[in-house]
């Protein structure tokens, strides 16, 4: 079956922008989410986008949604070492939130 | 403050033992979920419950059991039938099937077989 797809790793230099990509499965998904997980912790909701939106900006975070291609991206501007974490995109299928495998973002000086 | 609490943070299980992981929320959420996380495999759904006294199997329910006797509580039992239980377990809840508030997660329980 189809899965929510994400690349596993992304390495960036501090101060650069990071772009994390995700391909989801259901074109009728109403809400799509980005979560952040720090080591040994639970998942923290970063932001969401509603399906009638193409873009959403929230401080350093920009979410882009391409419904035709079922593609979601998260851009983090001015990436800091504190942004190092695993980032998950998620869609809701029926009543079930379904997550990608997560992208490990590594920020180096 | 409202939130979702998982306990214990670390748990050690001997071969052949059953262990129970606690998940409690005071957010008045109807739906609760249990996920298992292994390195590089993301989150896999074990069980979920949308209302009290009702729950459904997820993708990897074998070797696990749950109960939902109270709205606030959704404990997960890892039975001796689960042959590879070492993992990080996450509990989540939601009020409105996600919506703009998404799903709230606990801080997780790390289970290790010794």
């Amino acid at each position: 079956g189809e899965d929510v797809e994400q690349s596993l790793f992304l390495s960036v230099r501090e101060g650069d922008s990071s772009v994390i990509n995700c391909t989801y499965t259901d074109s009728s998904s109403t809400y799509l989410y980005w979560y952040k997980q720090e080591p040994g912790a639970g998942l923290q909701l970063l932001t969401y986008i509603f399906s009638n939106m193409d873009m959403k900006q929230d401080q350093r975070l920009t979410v882009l949604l391409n419904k035709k291609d079922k593609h979601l991206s998260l851009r983090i501007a001015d990436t800091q070492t504190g942004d190092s974490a695993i980032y998950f995109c998620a869609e809701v299928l029926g009543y079930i939130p379904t997550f990608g495998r997560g992208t490990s973002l590594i920020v180096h000086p | 403050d409202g939130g979702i609490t998982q306990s214990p943070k670390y748990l050690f299980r001997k071969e052949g033992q059953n262990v129970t992981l606690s998940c409690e929320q005071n957010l008045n959420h109807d739906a609760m979920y249990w996920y298992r996380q292994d390195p590089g495999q993301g989150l896999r759904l074990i069980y979920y419950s949308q209302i009290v006294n009702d729950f459904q199997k997820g993708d990897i329910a074998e070797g696990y059991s749950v109960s939902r006797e109270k709205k606030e509580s959704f404990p997960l039992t890892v039975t001796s039938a689960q042959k590879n239980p070492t993992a990080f377990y996450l509990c989540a809840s939601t009020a409105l099937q996600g919506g703009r508030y998404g799903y709230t997660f606990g801080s997780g329980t790390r289970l290790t077989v010794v």
Side-chain angles (χ1 to χ4, degrees), chain B residues 3 8 11 19 24 31 37 45 48-49 52 73 94 98 100 102 106-108 112:
Chain B
L11 187 57
V19 291
E24 303 274 337
Q37 186 178 24
L45 182 66
Y48 65 101
S49 168
V52 174
S73 179
T94 190
R100 66 180 61 194
S107 56
T112 304

Side-chain angles (χ1 to χ4, degrees), chain B residues 40-57:
Chain B
Q41 293 202 43
L43 277 65
R44 292 185 290 168
L45 182 66
I46 305 173
Y47 270 98
Y48 65 101
S49 168
Q50 296 183 67
I51 57 172
V52 174
N53 293 322
D54 188 49
F55 48 82
Q56 285 77 39
K57 293 182 179 180

